[in-house]
Amino acid sequence: MAEDREILREIWEGRLPVCFTLATEEVSTPIAPDPFYLMVPRLTYFPLVTDKVRRHFVRCVVPEKHDNEMWLEFEKCPLKWHYPIGLLYDLLVTNSELPWQLTVHFDKYPDNKLLKCPSKDVVESHLMHSLKEADALKHKNHIMALMQERDHKQLWLGLLHDRFDQFWSANRKLMEHSAEDGFRYIPFRLYAPQFTSKPFMQYLVKSIENEKRLTLEDLLQRANLNFESKGPFQVVIHGIDLPLETHLQWISEHLSYPDNFLHLCIRYSSP
């Protein structure tokens, strides 16, 4: 178990260097502000780590936009704040170039593409909703329903303040299962924009079926898509290329994001 805890900690401590630059057309000062560099946790959400970014750039936009909601963009693609940062990077960045170059906006919020996020309370509500959805798949929502309010706060504050021990003191309860049965279903989302216009695919997959421990390959087969048709591919989470023979139960226990979902990206080699 100590070794497993080290894996959990390694995943928790994953970071990405990001370079934030204010959109040129929004600069209102004679000299454009310097870019702002930040190391951000892969597991968290942008609204939880960008207060400093906002303070750095807001003085350089026209005063009437100071209270506008800030949003981020990568190569003309608005970033969904309700996706974990590591997922956004794995999904959108094909050349692994670092630091990740993002554009900051205070104007023309793309309401048709992004949910509004006026405060961190909205992120907390999103996290709790996702945890309940994941627990419904794993335990018929029994664990979240039995947890006390202080446990829910431990999960939120642990993520908000980047405290591994605080988060996992509560999250370990959500990972409990019997050795023979594993989780009822594996909470996952499969991102394959090459195959579908939907944001992600989601379907019911057990961890153990007919006494056989199911693998990542089993999960992919149930998508009924010929992933190999577009060439060699990887299944990536936290920047890791997962071997297809890895057991789903192990992946779910050790590599789930704080929302308790596996966010799996299908990636093809750049030509």
Side-chain angles (χ1 to χ4, degrees):
M1 189 60 204
E3 185 182 349
D4 284 0
R5 191 171 173 81
E6 282 306 304
I7 293 167
L8 298 177
R9 190 177 283 279
E10 284 286 328
I11 296 299
W12 183 272
E13 290 178 354
R15 299 287 187 270
L16 283 169
V18 182
C19 172
F20 299 90
T21 305
L22 183 62
T24 309
E25 66 276 15
E26 296 185 35
V27 176
S28 68
T29 49
I31 299 173
D34 291 333
F36 193 87
Y37 292 86
L38 207 57
M39 286 291 280
V40 297
R42 270 180 157 270
L43 293 183
T44 194
Y45 301 88
F46 271 121
L48 305 188
V49 293
T50 48
D51 285 351
K52 290 179 182 177
V53 178
R54 181 183 183 88
R55 286 197 295 271
H56 178 74
F57 289 120
V58 74
R59 56 195 171 80
C60 297
V61 299
V62 292
E64 55 265 31
K65 293 176 186 169
H66 282 189
D67 294 329
N68 285 9
E69 190 171 327
M70 188 179 83
W71 59 281
L72 303 173
E73 183 181 62
F74 172 66
E75 295 183 349
K76 307 296 182 188
C77 175
L79 298 187
K80 296 177 179 179
W81 64 261
H82 62 288
Y83 280 19
I85 293 173
L87 165 61
L88 287 167
Y89 183 83
D90 291 342
L91 191 57
L92 299 173
V93 181
T94 53
N95 58 7
S96 301
E97 186 179 321
L98 292 172
W100 192 13
Q101 305 282 340
L102 299 183
T103 303
V104 176
H105 292 273
F106 290 87
D107 194 18
K108 297 176 182 172
Y109 194 91
D111 300 86
N112 58 332
K113 293 181 180 176
L114 299 183
L115 301 172
K116 297 288 274 183
C117 184
S119 72
K120 290 175 183 173
D121 293 344
V122 179
V123 186
E124 182 181 7
S125 297
H126 169 71
L127 177 69
M128 289 302 140
H129 177 81
S130 297
L131 284 167
K132 287 172 183 172
E133 185 181 345
D135 191 45
L137 290 165
K138 289 195 284 190
H139 310 109
K140 297 185 179 178
N141 205 28
H142 289 170
I143 309 295
M144 280 295 283
L146 289 172
M147 285 173 113
Q148 297 181 0
E149 182 63 27
R150 71 165 181 265
D151 292 316
H152 292 178
K153 280 294 174 190
Q154 289 273 77
L155 291 162
W156 166 241
L157 294 174
L159 179 65
L160 178 63
H161 299 301
D162 192 22
R163 293 176 184 151
F164 172 83
D165 292 322
Q166 184 176 20
F167 178 84
W168 271 98
S169 66
N171 196 54
R172 61 183 172 78
K173 299 173 185 176
L174 295 168
M175 293 297 173
E176 290 172 356
H177 63 91
S178 67
E180 317 83 67
D181 299 329
F183 296 145
R184 187 165 148 263
Y185 296 107
I186 298 293
F188 76 93
R189 288 177 181 157
L190 183 63
Y191 300 80
Q194 307 87 347
F195 288 92
T196 176
S197 58
K198 295 177 183 176
F200 52 81
M201 290 180 281
Q202 199 172 357
Y203 41 93
L204 294 177
V205 178
K206 294 182 177 181
S207 61
I208 298 171
E209 201 169 74
N210 300 324
E211 299 184 359
K212 175 185 181 271
R213 290 194 291 168
L214 299 189
T215 65
L216 183 58
E217 188 167 18
D218 293 316
L219 182 149
L220 294 180
Q221 285 174 352
R222 287 162 200 224
N224 293 320
L225 292 171
N226 184 8
F227 292 111
E228 291 90 349
S229 65
K230 296 186 184 293
F233 70 94
Q234 300 171 317
V235 184
V236 176
I237 186 169
H238 309 302
I240 302 163
D241 174 13
L242 285 178
L244 296 186
E245 65 273 16
T246 315
H247 291 129
L248 290 175
Q249 181 67 37
W250 189 93
I251 301 173
S252 190
E253 287 180 50
H254 297 87
L255 301 183
S256 290
Y257 275 84
D259 62 4
N260 275 227
F261 275 85
L262 290 169
H263 293 284
L264 304 165
C265 298
I266 300 292
R267 287 228 309 232
Y268 290 87
S269 304
S270 300

